[in-house]
Amino acid sequence: MSSAGGPAAAEGKDTSGLRAALGGLTTRGRSFLAAGVAAAVCAYVLGQGDLLRVGLLLAVLPLACVAVLYRTRYRVAGSRRLTPSRVPSGSEARVHLRMDNVSRLPTGLLMLQDHVPYVLGPRPRFVLDRVEAGGRREVSYRVRSDLRGRYPLGPLQLRLSDPFGMCELTRSFSAYDTLTVVPRTEALPPVRLAGEASGYGDGRQRSLALAGDDDIIPRTYRYGDDLRRVHWRSTARYGELMVRREEQPQRARCTVLLDTRRIAYQGAGPDSAFEWAVSGAASALVHMLERGFAVRLLTDTGSSVPSEGADGFAGSTQESADSAGLMMDTLAVVDHSDGAGLSRSYDVLRGGNEGLLVAFFGDLDEEQAALAARMRQRSGAAVAFVLDSGTWVTTGAVAGAVEDRLRLLREAGWTALSVPPGTPLSDLWQQAGRQRSESSSGTNGFSGGWS
């Protein structure tokens, strides 16, 4: 929620004080003021006392309205609340506006206008009736975007009018809010590969400590630990209760690689190949996190999200939730890179301990396809979705060069599939599972598996 209001926080954009307030006089107010001045001059020239009183009345009325509104606008507090603040593309979010009258006097007619980017819809406008002293009014409107990104909402503008229509003053609140539109995700089916290690949790395996007291690494006792695991020798040595760390749960790892090179994609818009790749990467991230994997997002530029934690992967459950939001926020604003190759992402991958690698590639030339093939040596298993962006523009058949790239990846151990225009990722996900199962039949597969 963002708010601005009250005497301390009420900073409008008007800085010229009473002169700016007088500039808010309407045509009716200016007419009354001019008529009052003219009547007062005529009364002075003609010596008519009654006419002077009429002139003063006509002149004082609009000035009194200016004074009341000038004070009232700094006695009205405004706030905005988004529910939710992060939405998938194509979904709606609701914006709640609340106005509080913190003065002892009722307000006149209030006209609200919130500034929103044009991609979210028309600019909302509301008219509120008189707000009693200490009262509040709440209104809401909906926003929706088919384009991912981060969109500012605000500032909120408030226009006040007196009951006589003599004056209108505008106040702009300084607070902004941000709506994050993340890529649309697709529910993926559970696919279990042959050779998946047993353990507890879909994405977990156990690492047993070596036997013997000398090999046991004790740690400080934590509330809820089994007292049968207390290591008395270490307790006597350190002077505090220590327990044996006989089993250490390890989360299977998954790296989702997104190719963002500008030269690798053709076309633009919500239905382009690049947007499909971004949405696919988001779907894979969410799916693997739900299966208990430690996940990270990697792009061709070599940037990794999260950049901290357990070797750059999401850690505990709470860290995973925070990292998931961070990765989705990154995908909400990711754009084409100017790089021509995948060498930076190749350098980030270490050898053999990266777990599962899920890659979304654009157009690959022979050199980049060979580099991608070598990435397989730096992961436990690798699945690639290769997009021929030209077919997404022409809706034609997959080019023969793409088939050659797929063959090269498969020979290197990848489970590689081409992505026809508009194909749901869930169908390709199942196809990848079947292809992986067929290629690993009779073998142990990779340690940890994926699902």
Side-chain angles (χ1 to χ4, degrees), residues 10 65 75 111 117 134 151-152 187 193 195 209 235 239-240 260 268 270 312 341-342 351 374 376 385 395 411 417 432:
C65 293
R75 292 289 184 172
M111 288 167 282
Y151 301 101
L193 299 186
T235 300
E240 57 180 333
T260 64
L342 302 170
R374 293 198 299 271
R376 171 63 181 85
F385 301 95
T395 64
E411 291 175 354
L417 298 92

Side-chain angles (χ1 to χ4, degrees), residues 21-37:
L22 291 174
L25 285 172
T26 63
T27 302
R28 179 183 299 176
R30 295 177 186 274
S31 300
F32 267 68
L33 182 60
V37 172

Side-chain angles (χ1 to χ4, degrees), residues 32 56-66 164 166:
F32 267 68
L56 292 178
L57 177 62
L58 293 176
V60 168
L61 181 59
L63 295 178
C65 293
V66 168
F164 302 102
M166 298 289 180

Side-chain angles (χ1 to χ4, degrees), residues 31 51-52 82 93 104 106 176 182 226 261-262 272 284 303 329 350-351 376 397 406 420:
S31 300
L51 183 59
L52 178 62
L82 298 178
R104 298 180 180 180
Y176 287 81
V182 300
D226 191 347
R261 296 172 299 138
R262 188 180 303 275
S272 63
S303 61
D329 289 345
R350 301 182 180 89
R376 171 63 181 85
L406 293 173

